[in-house]
Amino acid sequence: MSLTILPHHDQKGISLKAKQTLVLDSAFNEDYKTTDILLFTHLSANLLALLADKKRTNRVFLPQMLHKQLQKLQRTQVIEPLYWDNIKCFVYGYPISIGDFFVTAYLSDDGLNGAISLLLEYHGKKIGYTGHFITQGLHKKRIKKWKKELQSNQLDLLLLDSANLQQAARFTTNAKKFKRFLQNLTPEELPAVKLSYLAPEMIVDYHNNALKNGRTLLLDQTYATLAKQLFPFDDFTVATTENLALAVAHPDKFILQAGIAENNTTIYNKDEVLSLKQFTGDQTTSELKEFVHVIKPQKCVFFGLNDLDFAQKITTSLTVEE
């Protein structure tokens, strides 16, 4: 028996074809074959579109953390209702049978909640797959752990997504940039941050950074409720008439969620668009190269829009013999 691997829909995702086909992080497409099994490793606009499609009959596998987050987003009514039929969750750290494969999911970090990387086993062949990840995010230990796991499995093949490589040679964490922003404010400036309900961990990040700098982050009711549902052990502060007045009087003690007050504020991320791409941090070419060097697969291939000079690009298909 053989396994065929090929790019899916203009390099947006990848397909593993055996008796059954697994489609990894695919683009939204209403023409999926009903036998295709769709595996998602991170939050994306394609995933949201697919889950909202009531015509879908495919089995879909999601990271458990992401599944929980989307349910709570729907419960809080900040997203449109999703269609939950045929939705399954990955088990972290243990192989599960999906079609002709055994699939093990490992927690990862791409700047959004719930990202994973995968180990896929097919008739003795071991294939590692990772979409986007960020080495300087909130969960650095997760990256180190799954790199070690993939290395110890002595991969026959490693699949990489090169679609969203960073252009900068060095990555600066949001925490460092935000700290510099606060240090450069005048005593009269009232800081504010743009937030997205799709990135609730960023709410916690700004909340914790505010506390470290002796400030209180004021949130609107919807964001505070959502953050509390997902992170019940943190105490978030809802903006009120009283504490907004205090923020104006003592701007060095507060940070506002952008848009909750009419007062003039200095917005930290005013030029950024509130979208998924704003939050998903991706690896540099040098980070990917080092990552491959550590894992030491027998073969490394990639798909996506950008070129990698140290790996082979999948242009049509790749056959893995048993």
Side-chain angles (χ1 to χ4, degrees):
M1 299 177 66
S2 64
L3 168 67
T4 302
I5 302 171
L6 68 161
H8 185 75
H9 289 298
D10 300 323
Q11 299 281 334
K12 295 178 180 178
I14 198 160
S15 296
L16 284 70
K17 292 182 176 291
K19 286 184 179 179
Q20 289 184 287
T21 298
L22 304 189
V23 186
L24 310 181
D25 292 320
S26 63
F28 176 61
N29 176 18
E30 295 181 350
D31 298 325
Y32 289 121
K33 293 180 180 178
T34 57
T35 54
D36 289 353
I37 304 172
L38 312 180
L39 279 58
F40 284 89
T41 65
H42 58 271
L43 180 58
S44 68
N46 285 318
L47 173 58
L48 291 175
L50 182 135
L51 292 181
D53 181 16
K54 291 185 178 181
K55 296 179 182 179
R56 173 187 52 80
T57 58
N58 305 74
R59 274 196 294 162
V60 178
F61 283 80
L62 299 180
Q64 190 174 27
M65 283 186 179
L66 180 53
H67 184 272
K68 183 185 295 186
Q69 175 183 323
L70 291 175
Q71 286 183 317
K72 291 185 177 181
L73 286 173
Q74 181 174 302
R75 192 178 306 151
T76 318
Q77 298 182 334
V78 295
I79 62 173
E80 295 297 322
L82 302 177
Y83 182 55
W84 295 103
D85 280 14
N86 296 322
I87 300 295
K88 306 290 183 181
C89 291
F90 291 106
V91 178
Y92 300 127
Y94 295 94
I96 59 174
S97 177
I98 303 178
D100 306 317
F101 298 78
F102 284 102
V103 182
T104 307
Y106 301 103
L107 282 168
S108 188
D109 184 13
D110 70 342
L112 293 169
N113 193 31
I116 58 174
S117 290
L118 299 177
L119 171 67
L120 303 111
E121 299 176 76
Y122 176 77
H123 290 276
K125 297 294 184 181
K126 295 185 177 182
I127 301 169
Y129 168 79
T130 179
H132 307 158
F133 66 91
I134 183 169
T135 56
Q136 299 298 322
L138 297 175
H139 305 291
K140 300 176 186 178
K141 291 182 179 179
R142 293 179 183 176
I143 307 294
K144 292 180 180 178
K145 185 175 181 179
W146 64 251
K147 280 203 298 187
K148 185 177 180 180
E149 291 288 347
L150 294 187
Q151 180 193 49
S152 65
N153 272 281
Q154 299 179 328
L155 300 180
D156 296 281
L157 182 66
L158 177 63
L159 298 171
L160 298 177
D161 180 2
S162 70
N164 293 292
L165 289 174
Q166 293 175 25
Q167 298 303 312
R170 297 185 63 185
F171 178 78
T172 304
T173 65
N174 184 63
K176 287 184 179 179
K177 289 190 289 186
F178 188 53
K179 183 177 181 180
R180 292 173 191 166
F181 164 77
L182 293 176
Q183 290 173 338
N184 291 328
L185 291 174
T186 67
E188 295 78 24
E189 288 182 288
L190 179 58
V193 292
K194 288 184 178 180
L195 299 173
S196 171
Y197 55 81
L198 294 174
E201 284 200 337
M202 292 298 292
I203 303 174
V204 180
D205 192 27
Y206 283 122
H207 169 74
N208 291 334
N209 278 319
L211 293 178
K212 289 177 183 177
N213 288 276
R215 297 174 181 264
T216 300
L217 174 64
L218 303 183
L219 301 170
D220 72 21
Q221 183 66 63
T222 299
Y223 277 70
T225 301
L226 174 63
K228 190 65 177 178
Q229 281 192 9
L230 290 165
F231 307 97
F233 300 108
D234 290 272
D235 293 320
F236 302 96
T237 304
V238 179
T240 64
T241 303
E242 292 75 16
N243 57 31
L244 285 173
L246 283 173
V248 173
H250 304 283
D252 60 324
K253 299 297 183 183
F254 293 88
I255 299 169
L256 304 187
Q257 177 183 339
I260 64 172
E262 296 179 358
N263 308 89
N264 291 328
T265 56
T266 303
I267 301 177
Y268 164 62
N269 49 354
K270 63 181 179 179
D271 297 324
E272 295 178 354
V273 178
L274 287 181
S275 69
L276 292 170
K277 289 184 178 179
Q278 174 192 338
F279 298 100
T280 50
D282 302 298
Q283 59 281 1
T284 63
T285 302
S286 60
E287 283 176 331
L288 268 184
K289 193 172 184 177
E290 184 274 337
F291 159 79
V292 174
H293 176 74
V294 169
I295 293 177
K296 294 182 173 63
Q298 289 189 23
K299 188 172 186 178
C300 178
V301 296
F302 73 95
F303 63 99
L305 303 177
N306 297 294
D307 288 329
L308 302 177
D309 58 6
F310 59 88
Q312 174 188 339
K313 186 169 186 176
I314 303 177
T315 54
T316 55
S317 66
L318 174 72
T319 301
V320 180
E321 297 292 342
E322 185 181 354

